[in-house]
Amino acid sequence: MVDQAASRPASSFRLPSLSALGPLLALILLVALGAFLNDNFLSHGNITNVLARSAFIGMIAVGMTFVITSGGLDLSVGSMAAFIAGVMILAMNALLPSMGVGVPLILAGMVVALAVGLAAGLANGLLVTRAGIEPFIVTLGTMGIFRSLVTWLADGGTISLDFAVRQLYRPVYYSGLFGIAWPIIVFALVAIAGQIAMRHTRFGRYCEAIGSNDKVARYSAVSVEGIRLATYVLLGLLVGLATIMYVPRLGSASGSTGMLWELEAIAAVIIGGTALKGGYGRVWGTVVGVLILSLIDNILNLADLVSPYLNGAIQGVIIVLAVVLQRGKKSSA
C-alpha cells in the first residue's frame, strides 16, 4: 500500500500566516515591554540568565512537541527530572571512591542520567502503546511514582553531590563558549535538530499523520505504536539531557526538584501553535513559547508586579487561553 503519510514533499515554501506569526509577535512585544519597565532587562547578565534557565524546560518542551503532535501527553516530566537527578547524584557519589574526582566520573554520571531517562520514557511509552492505557492516566501515575521515589531516596530531605565533584561539574552550567552558556548552546542544538526532524524527516511526518488520524496512518503502513513509543523514548532522553545541564546549577535533588516543569513544557508547546489533540507540531513555535513564558516570569520579577508564588497560576491561565484560541481558529476555519 502507498505510504500516504510520507507522500507530502519534505519541504515546500509557504508564507507564514498571521496565526503562525502570533507567538513571535507576542515575544517581540514582551521584549519591548521588559525594556520599558526595567533598564537592566536587556543587559547581558539578565538575558543570559533568562536563556539559561529556559534551556531546561526548552529541551523537554521539544520532546513534548513530538509526543503531543502524535496524539500523546506526558505529565511526568518534572517528576522524572527529579528522579533522574537523584539517581545521577547517588551514582556519582557511589563511584567517587573508585573513580576519583575527574572528567570520567562526570561522564559516568551523564551516562546514568541518559540511561534512566531512556528507561523512564520507555516505561511510559510501553504502558501507552502495549498496555493500551490512556497517556493521561499512565503519566499521571508515573508522575507520582517518580516523585515518591526521589523523596524516598532522599529520605524526605535533599540528595547532595560531593563538594569536590560539584566544583568540577559547575562549569557545565556556569561556563560556555564565546560568552554563551552551555545550556543555551545545547538547547539551540536540540531545537534545530527537532525542527529538522519535524519538518524534513519521515519521523516528523509520521507523528503528524498519527496525531491527525491514527487509523488512516495504520492503513498507510505506518507503525503507529512504534512511532508513539519512539516519541516517549525521545522525550525521556531529552529529560535526561536537561537534567545533566541542571544538576551542576545547584548540585542537589529533592522531592521538589522539577516542580511544575510539566506545566511549563506543555504551556510552551501549546503557545507555540502545536495542536493539543495532535496532528500538527511546530518546534520553532515551542521554542518561542518557552521564551515567552520565561520572559513573563522575568518581567514580573524585575517589575515586582505579581508575587512569584502566582507564576504557576499565570501559566495555567496561559494554557487555557491558548487552547481556547486554538478551538476558535478551528471553528472559524
Side-chain angles (χ1 to χ4, degrees), residues 16-37:
S17 64
L18 184 60
S19 62
L21 292 176
L24 192 58
L25 293 174
L27 179 63
I28 294 172
L29 288 174
L30 279 173
V31 171
L33 177 63
F36 174 76
L37 291 175

Side-chain angles (χ1 to χ4, degrees), residues 75-76 79 138-151:
L75 300 175
S76 69
S79 301
V138 168
T139 57
L140 185 64
T142 54
M143 176 176 69
I145 292 171
F146 293 141
R147 186 71 64 187
S148 294
L149 284 175
V150 71
T151 304

Side-chain angles (χ1 to χ4, degrees), residues 80 84 112-124 232-233 236-238 240:
M80 187 189 299
I84 293 172
V112 169
L114 292 175
V116 175
L118 186 151
L122 181 63
N124 281 339
Y232 283 99
V233 171
L237 284 171
L238 288 176

Side-chain angles (χ1 to χ4, degrees), residues 249-305:
R249 179 170 174 257
L250 299 176
S252 63
S254 68
S256 62
T257 299
M259 194 70 73
L260 296 181
W261 280 14
E262 57 281 339
L263 181 66
E264 294 183 54
I266 294 171
V269 173
I270 304 307
I271 291 170
T274 295
L276 182 58
K277 291 186 177 181
Y280 179 73
R282 198 157 61 191
V283 173
W284 73 263
T286 294
V287 173
V288 174
V290 169
L291 295 178
I292 286 174
L293 289 174
S294 296
L295 286 179
I296 290 174
D297 183 35
N298 185 247
I299 290 171
L300 292 176
N301 288 334
L302 288 177
D304 197 24
L305 296 175

Side-chain angles (χ1 to χ4, degrees), residues 163-205:
F163 179 77
V165 180
R166 188 188 313 175
Q167 293 301 110
L168 178 66
Y169 198 5
R170 277 174 60 87
V172 172
Y173 177 82
Y174 290 99
S175 185
L177 190 65
F178 304 117
I180 304 174
W182 286 119
I184 301 174
I185 295 173
V186 174
F187 174 33
L189 293 175
V190 168
I192 292 170
Q195 177 65 19
I196 293 172
M198 181 66 79
R199 296 269 73 89
H200 302 288
T201 69
R202 286 192 174 188
F203 178 68
R205 295 193 290 275

